[in-house]
Amino acid sequence: MRKKIITKSGCLFFLITGALYCAQKINFGSHELSSNGYLRSGFGWTDGGPMVNFVTPDNMHKFRMGNEANQYAEFQFNYRYKNKDSVNLYEVTYMMSKYIAFGSDDYKQFPETAQLYGKINKVVKNANIWIGKRYYDRRNVEMLDYFWINAAQNSQLGIGLENYQIKKSGNMNLAFIRFKYGNNDAHSYVTDFRYMDIPVSQYSQLNFLGQYSIKTQNDITHTPKSSGYAIGGWWTYAKDHITHTSTLIFRKGSSITDNTYSGKTITENIGNQTLYNLDKASSFDVINNFVYDDKRRHAVQASLTYQYRDFGIDNTDENGIMTDHRVARNLFSVGFRYLYYINKHFNLALEAGNDYVKNNRSGVEGSLQKITFSPQISWNYGYFSRPVLRPFITYAHWSDSFVGLTGTSDYNMKLLNKNHGISFGLQLEIWW
C-alpha cells in the first residue's frame, strides 16, 4: 500500500509541475501553444476505510468541500494560428480527462478524450464557428459542482456559431449536437439556441435558452423514437463584491438529461423495467446562486436549488395494479460555504448544507445534513483563488430511510447500517 501511495504522489507532483510549466504561452511567429486545466487530488478516510461521498439517493449534486472521494484532472492543450493579413484566428483544442474513485486502481487506464474541436474566430460580427467534440458554454454552481446547463458534454460531434453580436442587445449562440448510445444503436440530436447578455440595468443581464431534441428508436433496448424541448432563462447581477444568478428551466421528453455531467437523454429502460416515458416525462428546475467576496476579510457562497421531475409513468402496487398516474421526484437543497481570511495565504472555511429528496416511485423520503471545516492554505485572497490546499473534517447525518443508500461505496461499506459518518483528509485543488 505504501508503495502505491508514493507512486501516485510522484505522478501527481510531475503532473502539477508539468501543467504549470505548459500553462505559459509559447509563440512561434503566427503560431501559439498554451495549456489550461483543472486538477483535484488528495486522500481521505471514512470510518477507517477509503473515503466515501455523503449524498442523498437520486440526487444530482452534493456539497463538495470535504465530500469528494475521488481524484480528477482535466488537461487542455490549445493551438492558435493568426495570419498577419487576416482578422481570423484559427484554433484547435484538445482536452484529456481522468476520474479515479478513492480505493480504485483505475489510474492504470489511459485518460479519455473530453474535448477535440476546431474554431475560426471573428467570421461575421465577431461570431465564431466551431466544430467537434467540446464542453459547450457550461453553467454551474461551483460549490455543488452542479452543471445546470451542459448541452454537449459526452457528445459525438457538434457544430455551432457563437457570440453573434446584436448591437447594444447582447449576442446569440446556435449549436447542433449529436450523441450516440451504445454501438450506434441509437442517436440523439439537439438544437441549442441562446440569446445572451441582454442588458437590464447597469449591473444585471438576462439570458434565454431554447432547445429541441430528437432521440432515434433503439431496437436493442426496445425504446421508440422520442422528441423533447427545453426552455428557460437566467438573470445575472454583478456589482462590487456581489454576484448573483437566478435560473428557471423547464425540460420535456428527450431534453431531460441523464446527469449534470452529460447532455445525453435520460435512460428510459433498464432490462424490463421502465424508468421514464419520454412522451410524458418533464422536469422543472429553480437555481439560485449567490457569492459575496470582499477579498480582505469575508467571502460566502450560498445556494438554493429545487427540482421537480415527472417520470411520465404510472404508480402501481405490489400486484401491478395502477394506483395513480404520476411517478414524481422532488429534490431540494440549501447551503453555504463561508471563508474568513486570516491573510492572503490562509483562511478558515466552513461549509454546511441540507439535501432533501422525496421519490414516490421508490418510496424513499428523507434528508441529509453535512458540515465541513477546513483551515485552507491558498494562493491569494479570493473565493475562487486557486491553488488551494484543504485539510478537512466532515460530519454527515441522514434519515433512517437512507440507511444503506448513502455513505457507502464499492470500496467501503462500513457505514452500511448507520445513519451518520465522519470523513477526514487532505485535498489539493488547482485550475489555471
Side-chain angles (χ1 to χ4, degrees):
M1 176 60 71
R2 184 178 178 183
K3 182 178 180 181
K4 185 178 288 187
I5 293 174
I6 292 172
T7 301
K8 289 182 180 180
S9 300
C11 290
L12 178 60
F13 172 78
F14 286 111
L15 283 172
I16 295 172
T17 304
L20 293 175
Y21 176 78
C22 293
Q24 304 299 318
K25 292 181 180 180
I26 304 173
N27 292 286
F28 303 96
S30 300
H31 308 273
E32 178 186 284
L33 296 173
S34 64
S35 173
N36 57 282
Y38 170 85
L39 184 145
R40 66 171 178 262
S41 185
F43 46 85
W45 296 270
T46 303
D47 202 32
M51 182 177 163
V52 301
N53 295 314
F54 298 124
V55 58
T56 62
D58 291 329
N59 212 338
M60 54 195 171
H61 56 67
K62 64 182 185 298
F63 287 90
R64 294 177 60 191
M65 192 171 75
N67 198 26
E68 293 180 299
N70 57 71
Q71 328 258 4
Y72 182 70
E74 295 175 342
F75 293 99
Q76 179 168 301
F77 303 93
N78 312 294
Y79 165 76
R80 296 180 175 88
Y81 170 79
K82 183 176 181 180
N83 191 298
K84 294 180 180 179
D85 300 324
S86 173
V87 296
N88 294 331
L89 176 66
Y90 302 88
E91 299 185 41
V92 176
T93 296
Y94 168 72
M95 175 193 283
M96 65 176 74
S97 66
K98 184 66 177 176
Y99 175 95
I100 307 171
F102 282 175
S104 168
D105 61 358
D106 287 344
Y107 65 91
K108 297 176 182 179
Q109 300 175 5
F110 193 78
E112 66 176 24
T113 296
Q115 299 194 83
L116 179 58
Y117 66 94
K119 182 191 292 188
I120 306 176
N121 294 314
K122 298 183 178 180
V123 176
V124 56
K125 289 193 175 181
N126 289 323
N128 311 321
I129 293 177
W130 63 270
I131 183 170
K133 175 185 175 75
R134 70 174 292 193
Y135 295 167
Y136 174 64
D137 192 24
R138 303 190 303 175
R139 306 280 167 151
N140 80 327
V141 180
E142 193 274 339
M143 178 172 61
L144 305 173
D145 206 29
Y146 173 30
F147 291 91
W148 43 270
I149 293 182
N150 192 5
Q153 189 170 349
N154 293 320
S155 64
Q156 184 183 27
L157 183 68
I159 185 170
L161 179 74
E162 60 184 359
N163 197 38
Y164 184 90
Q165 301 293 315
I166 307 297
K167 188 175 181 180
K168 296 182 179 180
S169 299
N171 60 83
M172 293 190 298
N173 300 337
L174 180 64
F176 301 94
I177 305 155
R178 183 179 191 262
F179 294 88
K180 73 173 182 177
Y181 302 79
N183 188 22
N184 291 312
D185 299 322
H187 297 83
S188 64
Y189 304 87
V190 179
T191 300
D192 182 292
F193 172 77
R194 304 184 193 184
Y195 190 7
M196 310 279 292
D197 303 329
I198 306 167
V200 176
S201 69
Q202 182 180 357
Y203 304 107
S204 64
Q205 298 173 321
L206 275 176
N207 307 269
F208 295 101
L209 166 75
Q211 288 182 350
Y212 179 74
S213 64
I214 295 175
K215 186 176 181 182
T216 63
Q217 178 177 318
N218 190 328
D219 295 328
I220 304 298
T221 58
H222 306 291
T223 52
K225 179 180 179 180
S226 59
S227 61
Y229 65 88
I231 55 173
W234 62 99
W235 171 77
T236 60
Y237 175 88
K239 182 182 179 182
D240 298 332
H241 307 308
I242 295 173
T243 59
H244 181 214
T245 302
S246 295
T247 305
L248 297 174
I249 300 179
F250 177 81
R251 295 180 171 93
K252 180 75 174 177
S254 59
S255 287
I256 304 173
T257 57
D258 244 343
N259 56 67
T260 67
Y261 303 106
S262 175
K264 286 187 172 183
T265 301
I266 51 175
T267 302
E268 301 122 288
N269 294 347
I270 294 181
N272 295 323
Q273 181 185 12
T274 300
L275 302 180
Y276 290 89
N277 178 351
L278 291 186
D279 289 336
K280 299 179 180 179
S282 62
S283 181
F284 178 68
D285 295 83
V286 179
I287 304 109
N288 270 285
N289 183 33
F290 172 89
V291 177
Y292 170 86
D293 188 2
D294 62 22
K295 297 186 178 180
R296 279 296 176 270
R297 188 59 62 189
H298 307 283
V300 63
Q301 180 175 21
S303 70
L304 181 151
T305 67
Y306 170 74
Q307 183 185 85
Y308 175 79
R309 179 166 290 185
D310 186 337
F311 293 72
I313 58 178
D314 301 324
N315 275 310
T316 57
D317 61 19
E318 62 274 9
N319 298 315
I321 299 174
M322 184 183 69
T323 57
D324 61 60
H325 293 287
R326 177 153 291 179
V327 174
R329 182 187 70 192
N330 285 275
L331 299 173
F332 177 79
S333 175
V334 61
F336 70 90
R337 184 188 299 181
Y338 171 72
L339 273 62
Y340 178 76
Y341 298 116
I342 305 298
N343 56 52
K344 67 185 297 184
H345 297 305
F346 186 67
N347 62 75
L348 304 178
L350 180 72
E351 182 179 276
N354 179 81
D355 292 311
Y356 167 83
V357 60
K358 180 180 180 180
N359 187 329
N360 66 7
R361 173 167 62 188
S362 62
V364 171
E365 180 180 6
S367 60
L368 179 150
Q369 298 79 40
K370 170 259 180 195
I371 186 167
T372 299
F373 172 73
S374 172
Q376 296 189 133
I377 301 170
S378 63
W379 186 260
N380 203 345
Y381 289 112
Y383 183 86
F384 295 105
S385 175
R386 300 296 186 272
V388 61
L389 187 66
R390 300 187 182 102
F392 63 84
I393 183 168
T394 296
Y395 173 77
H397 179 276
W398 51 92
S399 300
D400 290 342
S401 58
F402 292 170
V403 171
L405 300 176
T406 190
T408 63
S409 73
D410 292 340
Y411 313 100
N412 186 349
M413 302 294 288
K414 295 188 176 185
L415 300 180
L416 182 65
N417 299 311
K418 297 183 180 181
N419 67 352
H420 62 278
I422 295 176
S423 296
F424 64 93
L426 179 71
Q427 183 189 64
L428 171 69
E429 185 177 35
I430 179 173
W431 56 57
W432 66 95

